[in-house]
Amino acid sequence: AVYRLKQRQATMPETFEFQSDIAALLNLIINTFYSNKEIFLRELISNASDAIDKIRYQSLTHPNVLESEPELRIRIIPNKEANTLTIEDTGIGMTKSDLVNNLGTIARSGTRAFMEALQAGQGADVSMIGQFGVGFYSAYLVADTVRVITKHNDDEQLVWESS
């Protein structure tokens, strides 16, 4: 699996390969647990809520972090014509480093622990994916392409895309 990361103004996106554990997780999710595909929405809303909690917490000591967007919200925007579902939040956002380290590598995710629990048959199932910090990947249950558009106060707007 390949994902692309580009800065909003940049002309050439950077292309990265998923680490093998992430690719294996995606394969496991898509091919084994397709019957539980509705969990993706719960997981993505949970991630959006976490992002809002993080910026709210940060604003307690640094009120200026809410200057560009003072309203904390999550919006779910279906588009039947384009066959897309957008989950939009006004949370903390991610820097380029966050995107590369958290979405494309196993280093800061619970991917390995989740896969081991599933393969060992320890009563784990795909609906527990969020407990391992890898709920984002449940989007691949229903999507051919996943795009993350993010803006952290310490970085410019970035687009992460994987198909």
Side-chain angles (χ1 to χ4, degrees):
V2 174
Y3 67 92
R4 295 181 332 155
L5 176 63
K6 61 183 174 181
Q7 297 167 328
R8 208 45 155 168
Q9 298 351 7
T11 56
M12 295 296 297
E14 293 180 63
T15 301
F16 300 85
E17 292 284 331
F18 278 119
Q19 280 195 354
S20 61
D21 285 345
I22 296 292
L25 173 67
L26 294 176
N27 187 48
L28 185 67
I29 287 173
I30 292 167
N31 294 318
T32 307
F33 298 102
Y34 201 78
S35 63
N36 293 322
K37 64 184 178 181
E38 69 280 352
I39 65 163
F40 86 96
L41 189 57
R42 177 193 71 198
E43 294 303 327
L44 296 180
I45 292 170
S46 177
N47 288 353
S49 178
D50 290 347
I52 287 173
D53 288 345
K54 287 177 183 177
I55 201 161
R56 181 183 299 123
Y57 179 76
Q58 193 177 56
S59 74
L60 296 175
T61 54
H62 300 90
N64 61 321
V65 299
L66 295 176
E67 285 177 359
S68 63
E69 181 57 71
E71 183 183 354
L72 301 177
R73 69 177 182 285
I74 299 170
R75 291 184 353 162
I76 301 170
I77 308 161
N79 183 328
K80 271 190 167 181
E81 292 77 35
N83 201 27
T84 62
L85 182 65
T86 301
I87 293 111
E88 179 182 283
D89 68 72
T90 56
I92 197 158
M94 289 185 274
T95 63
K96 181 178 179 180
S97 176
D98 292 336
L99 286 171
V100 171
N101 290 326
N102 296 327
L103 298 187
T105 65
I106 195 171
R108 289 186 174 76
S109 77
T111 307
R112 185 180 309 275
F114 179 66
M115 288 178 58
E116 288 172 356
L118 287 173
Q119 292 169 344
Q122 299 170 338
D125 65 42
V126 76
S127 68
M128 299 172 59
I129 192 169
Q131 297 175 29
F132 291 87
V134 292
F136 165 79
Y137 301 105
S138 66
Y140 290 95
L141 291 170
V142 296
D144 295 324
T145 300
V146 175
R147 180 178 299 136
V148 175
I149 302 171
T150 188
K151 169 71 177 90
H152 189 280
N153 285 335
D154 294 339
D155 207 342
E156 59 190 320
Q157 183 174 336
L158 299 164
V159 179
W160 181 97
E161 184 176 299
S162 174
S163 52

